[in-house]
Amino acid sequence: MREAFRRLEETNPNPEGELHHTNAYTLVVAVALSAQATDAGVNRATKDLFKIADTPQKMLDLGEEGLIEHIKTIGLFRNKAKNVIKLSRILVDEYGGEVPSSRAALQSLPGVGRKTANVVLNMWWKFPAQAVDTHIFRLGNRSGLAVGKDVEAVERAIEDNVPAEYQQHAHHWMILHGRYICVARKPKCPVCPIRDLCAYEEKTLG
């Protein structure tokens, strides 16, 4: 485990999430919008949105219909727009327009689940929270790095088994590795830096 993450760190010393954001609020919105959508698609939709609505109050001023005009290229955009407006209202009314640094508080916001909360805690507040998406779930189970029957089990496996010094960036290394190397249909085993440590038996040859 230690050697695997040492190598992942060596290949990418400072991994970063690929969702564009300017502050904690735009990060919450971007991650909430990314459910069942690609990061690239969300980034295209929010490029102009965040220029005019980068705080909860500005988003409320824009309104649900105004928001829809920006995000209608994203899947489930109507429901997501409703949630973004609702969470913006809660942030203004209950948190003085600031994004809380508590998982429970984040998860109480409409459209914000555990994965979204963990992303925000990790990327903005620098907590060693592990946000498990489909890439991490696949990679964790396929490689043996973090085995679990559901996302929460994989999350616990990462927290329990990944050495402390790699906890902060573990989910980014795993997401990026799953997105670009250990892909779903034909993993790129020949260029994988941890292929000799991987438990996956059906390794590809080219």
Side-chain angles (χ1 to χ4, degrees), residues 1 4 7 138-147 177 182 187 189 192-204:
M1 184 71 73
R7 293 183 194 178
R138 179 181 66 252
L139 171 63
N141 280 288
R142 179 188 275 171
S143 67
L145 287 176
V147 176
H177 193 72
C182 197
C189 300
C192 173
I194 61 171
R195 60 189 176 276
D196 58 316
L197 305 174
C198 174
Y200 186 55
E201 294 182 356
E202 301 173 24
K203 292 185 174 68
T204 59

Side-chain angles (χ1 to χ4, degrees), residues 14 16 29 36 55 64 79 90 96 121 126 131 137 144 153 164 175:
N14 296 295
E16 295 182 353
V29 173
Q36 295 179 279
T55 69
E64 188 174 322
N79 191 52
I90 291 171
L121 290 171
K126 307 303 180 187
F137 186 79
I175 285 173

Side-chain angles (χ1 to χ4, degrees), residues 20-172:
H20 297 165
H21 60 283
T22 57
N23 54 31
Y25 173 70
T26 55
L27 178 58
V28 170
V29 173
V31 181
L33 293 177
S34 72
Q36 295 179 279
T38 66
D39 287 0
V42 173
N43 288 339
R44 285 193 294 272
T46 58
K47 181 179 178 182
D48 292 327
L49 172 65
F50 290 159
K51 290 177 182 177
I52 59 173
D54 60 353
T55 69
Q57 186 58 58
K58 289 179 182 177
M59 191 67 76
L60 292 174
D61 293 342
L62 177 64
E64 188 174 322
E65 290 305 315
L67 172 56
I68 285 173
E69 283 303 305
H70 285 275
I71 67 169
K72 60 186 177 183
T73 56
I74 300 174
L76 307 175
F77 66 89
R78 291 193 183 280
N79 191 52
K80 289 177 180 179
K82 284 184 171 64
N83 284 334
V84 168
I85 294 300
K86 287 178 182 177
L87 73 83
S88 298
R89 171 54 63 194
I90 291 171
L91 289 176
V92 168
D93 291 348
E94 299 182 20
Y95 296 97
E98 300 295 325
V99 174
S101 59
S102 151
R103 180 186 280 119
L106 286 167
Q107 285 189 242
S108 73
L109 299 173
V112 176
R114 187 177 181 87
K115 187 187 80 170
T116 298
N118 281 347
V119 170
V120 175
L121 290 171
N122 182 284
M123 290 181 63
W124 192 259
W125 302 110
K126 307 303 180 187
F127 294 169
Q130 306 303 333
V132 177
D133 69 350
T134 55
H135 298 300
I136 291 181
F137 186 79
R138 179 181 66 252
L139 171 63
N141 280 288
R142 179 188 275 171
S143 67
L145 287 176
V147 176
K149 292 183 178 180
D150 54 42
V151 293
E152 289 198 13
V154 171
E155 180 183 329
R156 287 194 300 272
I158 297 171
E159 292 173 344
D160 291 344
N161 300 323
V162 174
E165 64 265 36
Y166 298 119
Q167 286 279 334
Q168 177 62 50
H169 293 309
H171 95 276
H172 275 135

